[in-house]
Amino acid sequence: MNVPAWDIAAVQTYDFLSAEYRALFAHSTATVFQSPLWLDRLYRDVAVQLGAQPLILLIREHGTGRLVAIMPLVVRRKFSLRVAEFADFGVSDYCSPICDLDFVPALLNDDCVQHQLREQMKSCDLIMIQKVRADTLPLFKLIGKARTSALPFTAHATDLSAPYSAWRETNISQSQRRFLDTKRKWLTKRGSLATSAVDSKQQLDEIIANIQKFRDYRFRQTGTFDLLKSNLFSQFYRDVAEETPPARGYVMTINGTIISAAFGLAYNNTFHFILSGFDFLNYRNASVGLLIIEDIIQDCIKRGETSLDLTIGNQPYKREFGTRETAIWAVWLGISATGRLAVHLLSRSRRLQQIVRRLLRHSAHLNSVGSRP
């Protein structure tokens, strides 16, 4: 009789702040968007208020009980289908299973893992996971032979190296350097211009409040939806600023008045740029959004960090900082007959995929959820 190598279970609650999960996360290739406090607050607060049913898949080594992988999902009803999604809700830029690096080869090569995971998801019609980085796409073989499709946006990151002056000359074009220098000189003629980094809870709360205020004015002018309008999500960012790995903010001031602010997370020598806003009313033509990124890069290099992640989105400004692009994918897997039919139709029509994504975004907005700009 064959003894199973793994014990696989689906649970609705799990302590992501536990020492067990912290150890797993630290020995995985998962991103900051699967870090302990991030997932804890998503399940504890966001999922509950949005009525999403947790579906947390745990894989343990048989015999020892050692936790070797987690797939943090939620189930929501969409288009009369029960859809399993990543615990994301529009705030996570990257979705990835959390797998112990020592066990990845064995897990991916064991067909029983795929069968057991699908058995745990048999109450769902399909699995639909967005925002998967190309480098973590192979981990989704855990759920079997899923359909994949490239999303119409990419992630952008730039490699950093000292000294800053050499990095700037190599990675920012001469014309862009002149442009930024001109904007900075224009501002300095109007007062004392400074950018500073902060990491205390009170200061980070103030930064998020300023970002919220700046974005509210700008987005109202353009008629664009912003998830920070929801207290649920603005509070989520304030909560995760307590740790998640170390949170850090930046403020740009002129004569002591904040004109631009940014918030992100530092992890594995990378600063992940997550939220930003600027005084659109008074400085819309001063390019303070670009200037604060330039100052952030200089500070990151001083700290010895080796990468700035500008995360997902095809905004043109990201290419001005010597970024490299990473493809972002969607993963689709039908579980029920209806779900398999839906995946088949989606895989055959890029136009239908676009319609589904638009409908999902619209549905999310109605529930105060949306993709972070």
Side-chain angles (χ1 to χ4, degrees):
M1 179 178 178
N2 291 330
V3 177
W6 321 101
D7 296 322
I8 298 178
V11 299
Q12 291 195 335
T13 60
Y14 179 77
D15 184 4
F16 286 99
L17 299 179
S18 65
E20 175 186 63
Y21 182 72
R22 291 181 186 276
L24 174 65
F25 175 71
H27 200 237
S28 73
T29 58
T31 75
V32 291
F33 304 107
Q34 288 78 54
S35 54
L37 189 60
W38 191 275
L39 284 179
D40 175 77
R41 293 302 188 265
L42 280 179
Y43 277 107
R44 193 194 73 176
D45 300 328
V46 179
V48 170
Q49 292 198 45
L50 295 178
Q53 179 185 343
L55 180 65
I56 304 166
L57 302 175
L58 306 179
I59 305 178
R60 298 183 181 276
E61 184 180 34
H62 183 73
T64 69
R66 177 176 174 178
L67 182 68
V68 298
I70 288 184
M71 191 170 294
L73 305 176
V74 294
V75 179
R76 293 196 282 182
R77 188 169 291 279
K78 301 186 181 200
F79 319 121
S80 300
L81 299 174
R82 284 179 54 81
V83 180
E85 309 168 272
F86 222 80
D88 166 13
F89 304 108
V91 297
S92 301
D93 282 71
Y94 311 127
C95 298
S96 171
I98 306 94
C99 302
D100 188 314
L101 288 168
D102 293 340
F103 289 86
V104 168
L107 288 170
L108 294 182
N109 290 321
D110 190 339
D111 291 340
C112 291
V113 172
Q114 301 173 8
H115 173 75
Q116 287 178 268
L117 285 175
R118 287 200 299 273
E119 184 67 18
Q120 295 295 335
M121 294 183 286
K122 63 183 180 182
S123 63
C124 302
D125 292 299
L126 75 151
I127 305 166
M128 184 171 59
I129 299 172
Q130 310 284 324
K131 297 185 291 187
V132 178
R133 287 175 58 95
D135 52 355
T136 59
L137 194 59
L139 292 178
F140 284 90
K141 292 179 182 176
L142 287 170
I143 59 175
K145 191 174 181 180
R147 304 266 189 176
T148 60
S149 59
L151 293 174
F153 52 81
T154 57
H156 297 259
T158 185
D159 296 324
L160 306 179
S161 59
Y164 169 71
S165 56
W167 179 90
R168 188 177 192 257
E169 186 171 349
T170 301
N171 291 277
I172 303 179
S173 68
Q174 184 178 18
S175 61
Q176 184 68 2
R177 294 198 304 270
R178 283 199 301 265
F179 174 81
L180 293 172
D181 290 343
T182 299
K183 296 296 185 180
R184 197 175 292 273
K185 288 176 182 176
W186 183 86
L187 286 167
T188 55
K189 288 179 180 178
R190 281 149 180 80
S192 175
L193 183 69
T195 298
S196 57
V198 301
D199 58 11
S200 75
K201 180 67 169 68
Q202 180 180 350
Q203 290 171 315
L204 289 170
D205 282 352
E206 291 173 353
I207 280 179
I208 292 171
N210 275 282
I211 292 173
Q212 192 174 12
K213 177 183 68 176
F214 290 150
R215 287 161 62 114
D216 181 62
Y217 177 83
R218 183 180 183 184
F219 282 42
R220 277 192 288 110
Q221 299 304 305
T222 60
T224 307
F225 173 80
D226 180 22
L227 61 82
L228 282 183
K229 287 180 69 66
S230 164
N231 289 333
L232 174 62
F233 289 98
S234 60
Q235 186 59 48
F236 168 79
Y237 285 113
R238 289 184 176 91
D239 287 346
V240 299
E242 295 177 8
E243 179 190 347
T244 316
R248 193 160 76 230
Y250 291 88
V251 289
M252 174 178 280
T253 61
I254 189 163
N255 295 329
T257 299
I258 296 176
I259 62 173
S260 184
F263 169 80
L265 304 172
Y267 181 64
N268 275 353
N269 291 317
T270 296
F271 182 70
H272 300 271
F273 185 88
I274 295 178
L275 293 173
S276 66
F278 67 92
D279 186 345
F280 186 75
L281 177 62
N282 297 303
Y283 295 95
R284 62 182 301 175
N285 296 318
S287 298
V288 292
L290 296 178
L291 293 176
I292 198 172
I293 292 176
E294 189 178 33
D295 292 344
I296 289 171
I297 290 171
Q298 187 170 10
D299 182 67
C300 289
I301 289 175
K302 285 181 181 178
R303 294 169 183 267
E305 292 167 346
T306 55
S307 179
L308 172 70
D309 179 17
L310 293 173
T311 60
I312 60 171
N314 292 340
Q315 296 91 335
Y317 77 83
K318 295 182 178 182
R319 297 182 176 86
E320 301 292 348
F321 296 97
T323 55
R324 49 185 164 75
E325 295 185 47
T326 297
I328 301 295
W329 294 77
V331 175
W332 314 73
L333 179 67
I335 303 296
S336 69
T338 305
R340 289 193 295 272
L341 175 60
V343 170
H344 174 73
L345 294 174
L346 287 167
S347 68
R348 294 175 63 87
S349 171
R350 185 172 295 274
R351 174 62 177 164
L352 186 56
Q353 291 176 24
Q354 293 171 346
I355 292 171
V356 168
R357 279 195 290 270
R358 281 202 299 271
L359 289 171
L360 290 177
R361 283 198 297 270
H362 177 67
S363 174
H365 293 175
L366 293 178
N367 290 284
S368 298
V369 187
S371 297
R372 178 178 50 74

